[in-house]
Amino acid sequence: MALKRRNTEIKEGILHILTGSKAALSQTDVEEQLNVPADRATIFRTLNRFVEDGIAHRIVSEEGKSYFAVCTGKCASGHHHDAHYHFHCLECRKMECMKDEIQVKLPKGYKLMQANVVLTGICAACR
Amino acid sequence: MALKRRNTEIKEGILHILTGSKAALSQTDVEEQLNVPADRATIFRTLNRFVEDGIAHRIVSEEGKSYFAVCTGKCASGHHHDAHYHFHCLECRKMECMKDEIQVKLPKGYKLMQANVVLTGICAACR
DNA sequence: CTGTGTGCAAAGGGTTTGCAAGTAC
DNA sequence: GTACTTGCAAACCCTTTGCACACAG
């Protein structure tokens, strides 16, 4: 079972940033946008806690960096429906969450637990 | 334009390993399977060169690690068709290349250049 | 008061680079 | 001989952890 959570300024600040952002944000992004001073480790732990608690989901870019975005409705703790895909723009570096989910037809016997789908290219705004 | 390539034992050894493997391999995997002694940096550069030259493609796992696999036919230098998806087994840690390609319907104006699709779970062999 | 949250500092792990020596052609 | 390759060593970047103190409930 999960630990109890407390409300703190930092947590709410981070959540507010995530909620207000259309794109998924890296830890560094969050760090820069946060107006409350906070340690790297704190942000790291907070983001991970959000993922654990089903508040946000993590996307790993093709560069190996983690990005975070608030979950849209369907996510529950430990059971994410984040099979929607993401678009990472090489120009503006934004990691956008796309609405559509990918359709996967896994062979027999395979148990799917998570999906990490990142498309890379140039977004509409940058062309 | 690309540099000229030379044939060396290390390069051929690495290529042989990749060709003979059904799963995509990490740099460490290659390092362990290589019978010729080779430096980390060399393997790193060789793998990257393979990707540049269109011989192999790179897949980044949900953990941020890179995996490499030989391209299947359609890949050309700088223009990969690696939109097929990959399955990363949490049990045996294998990164399998699946044959099917994902279908993506990108919004207008988006230019797709690369895809990194990794599904995570338990593979058939591990259940 | 109890246990979660935070900061500081340091380690970890994979990736990347500079430079000089080695070697394919 | 030229220029691509390799090894060594070190740097890099993001991520992660230990520990002691701060603070919400």
Side-chain angles (χ1 to χ4, degrees), chain B residues 13-79:
Chain B
I14 295 178
L15 186 55
H16 183 255
I17 290 174
L18 286 184
T19 310
S21 168
K22 278 190 55 179
L25 303 176
S26 70
Q27 185 179 313
T28 315
D29 294 334
V30 171
E31 203 168 342
E32 286 168 356
Q33 293 184 33
L34 197 57
N35 38 20
V36 196
D39 192 79
R40 231 177 309 156
T42 304
I43 298 177
F44 165 75
R45 284 184 279 230
T46 304
L47 289 172
N48 280 333
R49 222 158 290 163
F50 283 169
V51 173
E52 276 175 34
D53 294 351
I55 297 173
H57 64 267
R58 174 203 308 272
I59 313 126
V60 179
S61 76
E62 76 290 347
E63 296 165 305
K65 271 179 71 174
S66 289
Y67 289 77
F68 301 85
V70 287
C71 290
T72 57
K74 298 200 173 183
C75 293
S77 183
H79 187 68

Side-chain angles (χ1 to χ4, degrees), chain B residues 4-6 8 10-11 37-39 41-42 45 49:
Chain B
K4 277 183 187 163
R5 306 303 188 201
R6 286 178 179 169
T8 65
I10 291 181
K11 252 190 226 172
D39 192 79
T42 304
R45 284 184 279 230
R49 222 158 290 163

Side-chain angles (χ1 to χ4, degrees), chain A residues 109-111, chain B residues 87 89-92 94 96 121-127:
Chain A
Y110 282 75
K111 186 182 175 193
Chain B
F87 191 89
C89 181
L90 293 172
E91 189 81 24
C92 61
K94 253 191 210 135
E96 270 187 83
I122 311 290
C123 77
C126 286
R127 299 185 60 175

Side-chain angles (χ1 to χ4, degrees), chain A residues 49-57 71-82 113:
Chain A
R49 224 159 288 162
F50 283 169
V51 173
E52 277 175 33
D53 294 350
I55 297 173
H57 64 267
C71 291
T72 57
K74 298 200 176 185
C75 292
S77 183
H79 187 68
H80 286 262
H81 288 264
D82 48 4
M113 301 176 67

